[in-house]
Amino acid sequence: MRISRRALATAAVLATVLPLSACGGSDSGSSDASGKVEGKITFQTWNLKAEFKDYFNGVIADFEKKNPGTEVEWVDRPAEGYADKISADAAGGTLPDVVNVSPDLVAPLAKAGLALDLDKEASEYRKEYLDGAWKSHQIPGTEGTFAFPWYLNTGPVFYNKKLFKDAGLDPEKPPKTYDDVFEAGTEMAKNSKGKVAALANVPAIEDFGRYGVPLMNKEGTGFAFNDAKGVELLTRYKKLYDAEGLDAQALTATPESAGHKFLTQSVAMNPGSALDLANFKKDAPSLYKNIGITDQISSTGKANMYVMGVMVNSQTKQKPAAVAFAHFVTDKTRQMQFAKQVAVFPSTEGSLDDPYFTKQDGTDETKVRIAAAESLKTAENYTPVLFSEQMKVELKNQVAKALQGKQSPKAALDNAVKTCDRLLKQS
């Protein structure tokens, strides 16, 4: 998969429900995971070959050298249609042995019995990974963990110091909580007479999580973001929107369009990653010289974690080799190597204490990397594993109606939860 914070945040889910003919328990593979590591397996990734061909060829060669008698065939699929391809392979019995997945992609596969339960088959590896990362591929209401954690990402909030100063706000004291954002956004809109908005995007599910809203019930059978605290958050966004503290096009904004608004300095704040700094420096030097970097906005004290994983097909005929390779790709050595090639972070225990993630060198890029690494130690994946792309669209549409005054925040969230619960039952 192309690696970016935004891509991780918007990973597509399986577009069709897996038919019952695809089902099979995790014990239906033909071998025990603890057996001899041998044979040929297929490893599928998501839009990685163009940029990381040499890296993965090296990983495969090292694995085959370490395990004589093994052969790994690497297949890389384009991002477009990836979910559909997995769904078709699952239904047709051609799912690769080892598959690059996001938590929302693994959920229907686990429900269909096609994702190996690592808590049963490979529990000895759990201690090697950050607890939050390991839990990210667990499914509410289902026992087990269904993929090895792979790379993580998170990002800071960038802000425009000049726009803060022009609005009479202290550019050295950016907002850190949602309370701060609403106060600063209202003040900025007022002092700029509506010409500068604080944000260019409406609240998504992870905003509700970072505000402290419970997103699902404990059983994982229904959504709960329409509680009093969820209504409170949306009500406050409505007030900010009315005060012109949200960009006028926020209701239909995409991550790309919101980023463009920040790039052209018509909004003062935008989430991003270390990857964005080079773009600012190249494409918007006047913005770059005024760039401020702060932590993710959160009222829980915890940042949002985006995570990728590596799943083992429970139906594989070479279970020991498949488990061994999935672990090899995601072990501490390989994750550190990968993280130094691209702006992602390892999910392995202790890796974030490496000097690469802790030692300052005076550059903005390093500052962002160190801050992100520190936040990831306690970060959570606030997007529920069972929250599908359809559900994200439904929430965005209902939020838009509330901000436009077409319905109350309470009615909007009630409607969103009702639809999301219905979609959940259908999956």
Side-chain angles (χ1 to χ4, degrees), residues 36 72 80 123 141 192 219 249 255 290 317 382 425:
K36 185 177 180 180
V72 179
E80 185 176 355
S123 60
S192 70
E219 297 75 27
Q249 298 175 356
N290 290 303
K317 295 180 179 179
Y382 282 115
K425 288 181 173 65

Side-chain angles (χ1 to χ4, degrees), residues 50-62:
E51 296 182 49
F52 306 105
K53 182 178 180 180
D54 291 344
Y55 171 77
F56 284 102
N57 282 337
V59 169
I60 290 169
D62 289 345

Side-chain angles (χ1 to χ4, degrees), residues 14-37:
L14 289 176
T16 58
V17 179
L18 297 175
L20 291 178
S21 61
C23 293
S26 62
D27 61 350
S28 57
S30 62
S31 59
D32 188 324
S34 62
K36 185 177 180 180
V37 177

